[in-house]
Amino acid sequence: MVCTLCPRMCRADRSARAGFCGLGEEMRIARVAPHLWEEPPVSGSRGTGAVFFSGCTLRCVYCQNGEISHTGTGRVFTPRQLSDALKRLTDQGVQSLSFITGTPFVPRILETLELWRPPLPLVWNTSGYETVETLRLLEGAVDVYLPDLKHYSARMGQLCAKAPDYFRVASEAVREMCRQTGPCLYGEEGIMTRGVLIRHLILPGLTGESMKLLTWIKDNLPPGTPVSLMRQYIPCNNVSVPGLDRRITEKEYRRVRDHMALLGLPGFLQEPDSADRGFIPAFNTPESFC
């Protein structure tokens, strides 16, 4: 497998050595369990069945899930084993199923869905750093896209995620997601059954970047595309970048929130207590797997 699944285009033969993502060919997963802390249209009242895949195509210096994204820790799953886990999650009454940072394993995920197609909305929870070509492999398999839109400038893309092309790549990817799903559709209890919901995490000292990203969403995406404006940033992963070693201030949050309101963007706002390590799930423990 010469890998070109992500924008890094590392072309690693992952049957013999790890790619940029730090992963080989086998599907590696660090948590499969109900998760209550996503946006209301994803979690609902009973949670989403969250599958946290190991590894990542970015190198975010502040990653809250650094334990799995930077080290690749987790258990090996076959498509059959993942299919069985999805059945167990569905039987537990979750209202959607979420594949989180699954890009390195797209072929294995598609094999899984050929074995069994869950009767729930399938959510692709992603950093936004995706190629259009890989997203087109997912067309018809994914119901809801939940991408991050992290950085606007090449400088911050490089400093924060080791990806100076982040915005160029992610903006093209988000457009493709919107093309695939069309307008947002909602089912019982307001659960999203189709569409794109964009997440943006406000970073300390970078409110100008946040405002530019929100303006881009307003000017370039279909009207009504919802945004989740997140204020949950806490310094994690031993972040050493100057300025990122603190939480955002209330003034910073209000500045970005008010800009979102001025633009008339629909969506969701996080409560102040979301900036708490208690919301980071446990990974790769016996309790992490349903």
Side-chain angles (χ1 to χ4, degrees):
M1 174 184 177
V2 176
C3 192
T4 57
L5 288 169
C6 90
R8 302 289 182 178
M9 294 288 173
C10 70
R11 304 191 67 82
D13 178 357
R14 287 171 49 202
S15 65
R17 64 180 179 89
F20 178 91
C21 58
L23 300 160
E25 201 170 35
E26 294 178 309
M27 187 161 52
R28 191 169 289 275
I29 296 172
R31 182 177 175 86
V32 182
H35 190 63
L36 294 168
W37 303 325
E38 304 291 18
E39 284 73 12
V42 174
S43 287
S45 60
R46 300 193 302 275
T48 185
V51 181
F52 286 84
F53 292 90
S54 302
C56 189
T57 61
L58 291 179
R59 290 291 182 269
C60 295
V61 295
Y62 51 79
C63 183
Q64 293 185 343
N65 296 341
E67 176 187 349
I68 63 172
S69 65
H70 290 199
T71 68
T73 185
R75 297 184 184 178
V76 171
F77 273 66
T78 65
R80 173 61 67 185
Q81 289 170 327
L82 179 55
S83 175
D84 291 343
L86 297 179
K87 291 177 184 177
R88 290 194 295 273
L89 286 169
T90 300
D91 289 343
Q92 290 179 37
V94 297
Q95 291 170 278
S96 66
L97 293 168
S98 295
F99 297 147
I100 302 167
T101 62
T103 303
F105 303 115
V106 165
R108 298 290 181 265
I109 290 169
L110 292 175
E111 289 179 40
T112 299
L113 297 177
E114 287 178 2
L115 293 171
W116 185 67
R117 172 73 192 198
L120 296 172
L122 295 181
V123 180
W124 192 255
N125 183 328
T126 167
S127 68
Y129 196 59
E130 304 271 14
T131 69
V132 169
E133 292 74 18
T134 294
L135 290 173
R136 287 180 179 164
L137 297 175
L138 296 169
E139 188 166 5
V142 168
D143 301 304
V144 175
Y145 284 102
L146 187 62
D148 291 337
L149 200 55
K150 295 176 179 288
H151 306 294
Y152 186 82
S153 69
R155 177 175 177 271
M156 295 315 301
Q158 172 62 25
L159 182 65
C160 294
K162 300 297 186 289
D165 60 347
Y166 176 84
F167 177 72
R168 178 186 62 78
V169 169
S171 59
E172 293 175 1
V174 170
R175 285 193 181 102
E176 171 63 17
M177 295 173 194
C178 291
R179 182 199 68 78
Q180 287 188 22
T181 67
C184 294
L185 299 176
Y186 301 86
E188 294 182 7
E189 294 190 36
I191 297 298
M192 186 179 285
T193 59
R194 193 83 177 156
V196 177
L197 169 56
I198 297 174
R199 286 172 159 174
H200 175 65
L201 175 66
I202 305 170
L203 296 175
L206 294 174
T207 56
E209 289 245 325
S210 294
M211 294 165 71
K212 289 176 181 177
L213 288 167
L214 293 175
T215 300
W216 181 87
I217 292 169
K218 172 69 173 179
D219 292 344
N220 292 275
L221 297 185
T225 301
V227 175
S228 175
L229 189 64
M230 300 189 295
R231 61 189 301 178
Q232 69 187 44
Y233 180 82
I234 51 177
C236 287
N237 201 42
N238 297 316
V239 60
S240 59
V241 174
L244 295 183
D245 55 353
R246 64 171 177 86
R247 304 181 188 213
I248 66 169
T249 65
E250 185 64 25
K251 182 178 179 181
E252 287 173 322
Y253 170 70
R254 288 198 307 268
R255 184 180 187 222
V256 181
R257 179 204 62 191
D258 291 350
H259 186 66
M260 179 174 165
L262 182 66
L263 293 171
L265 290 172
F268 305 91
L269 304 174
Q270 278 188 329
E271 298 296 327
D273 61 5
S274 62
D276 190 299
R277 292 180 185 272
F279 289 102
I280 301 174
F283 297 114
N284 206 35
T285 67
E287 296 75 23
S288 301
F289 300 92
C290 69

